[in-house]
Amino acid sequence: MKEKVMQLNQIHSRHHVFWVFIIVHFSLLLFSAFSADIPPRKILNGEKKKSRKVELHMEDNRVFIDNGLVEVTIENPSGHLSGITYKGMLNVLETRNNNNNKGYWDIVWDNEAYDKLATQHVKIITETEELVELSFTKMWDITKDHGNSVPLNVDKRYIVRRGVPGLYMYGILERQEDFPDAHMYQIRIAFKLNENKFHFMAISDTKQRIMPSQEDRDESRSQVLAFKEAVLLTNPTNPQLKGEVDDKYQYSSENKDNKVHGWISDDDAVGFWVITPSNEFRTGGPHKQDLTSHVGPTALSMFVSTHYTGTEMDVLYKKGETWKKVLGPVFMYLNSASWDEARHYRNALWNDANRQLREEIQSWPYNFTASEDFPHAQQRGEVNGQLLVRDQSLDKQLMQAKSAFVGLAAPGYAGSWQTEGKGYQFWTQTGNTGRFTIKNVRPGEYNFYAWVYGFIGNYKLNLKITIQPGNKINLGTLIYDPPRNGPTLWEIGIPDRTAAEFFIPEPNPTFVNSILNHDADEFRQYGLWDRYSDIYRDGDLVFTVGVSNYSKDWFFAHVPSSKGNHMAD
């Protein structure tokens, strides 16, 4: 009897093991089935739950900040970012470069001088289990620095947060009253990524591809075209890129669209992204174009530049003029895809970066920054109202300014926001009824500006608006009277600040960049200006009012003709 009981126990035990095996196996199958659709951030959320506290380690020449997801290395005391360790990658940045050429701030100032804003002191601002914020500073000294470095006090900030796979960066730049005159043409943060790893660039839903290497731009592998930034790839290391054009300006974007861009390492299924949750610290307004990412692999966070505007951009700082501005914070986000997503990891990483962008926008203005120069939400104000259009030659009734761009910028004339290069700007678009709310405005004095789709000209409210912490200003109903001298007799195109509705020719097949094949980007193809002379061989184009169609008969740009150097009329 005892033996029979023992046999039964063994049978039950075997049955128990069998059913445990079946349950575990079925659970794994379910997990595998579902995990194929899990975005990488859900995996990162799992990391976040078990992530450790933020730790700070300081050495004589280096500073380390580690939260278990990323380890950030900063050169001490220069403040140059020399390393980011993530997901087994010992350094996301290019290890062969000097420390001042990996992750760094830089300014182009008087006479094209170049300053990487090396600092002299480091200070711990915040050190808790949840967050570390460091400050790297330099005070400009006229007796030692005059003519050698840009006349500017510099405070570069780094923040690493618990459970967050990335790094926040912002800068506080200041000029004192006795500082000498200076132009500051360009201010940015640049990241030189590991060239052996990062080959795939993503700027938008349509502008993504495997990129040439820096080596491919060497004279032995390329031919310089009309300007040094544009080259024709004649013998690239990747044969599939042979015959294509590479030009960093082809990857530019308007401020309003330049919110997330970056690179992917195919070997590791890892992405590095520059996320900009607000444009308040950028200059030139929502339509100002600037650089994003380009061959290097290089990722940029642009704050000020004269690209596409030239010397009209206000970048002259005069002696006697005090100035202080917070640039950023911007977020360097790292993500990774699981092996279950190996087929579609590029899309998964790009989609996750955009999801993270939405999260950063919802968190703006950040409440974890320690600088008193960056006001939190409760220290900011709000402006709302409604914009209508009165154009008596079209309609005697007031029209609602649908999808108009409205914003606050430094006091000036109507449209001055387009060349304003020193202050803060806050922009939004109206709804279908012309109503708007401009949130999270920093305290200060502003003018209210607008432009309306379908109507020429710029609107400015002749009233100086003073924002104080916590206040909400209702501007009521504003009426824009577009400039005109009488009824419209005829017009070409649409007043929408683009040339998309005009004729954009096919590029010369010898000068094509495949990343620009989408309709929205075709105007950026290299050499389109020469296509005008190719198409209108016997003279300039002729547009016949009432007969011609501007989408077919009006060239999208006014360019010189190689035939007698005429201009399109």
Side-chain angles (χ1 to χ4, degrees), residues 347-360:
N347 285 337
L349 293 172
W350 170 248
N351 292 337
D352 177 64
N354 279 275
R355 180 212 53 77
Q356 186 65 36
L357 167 66
R358 293 190 293 271
E359 186 174 308
E360 300 300 321

Side-chain angles (χ1 to χ4, degrees), residues 72 103 299 411 481 562:
V72 175
D481 294 293
S562 61

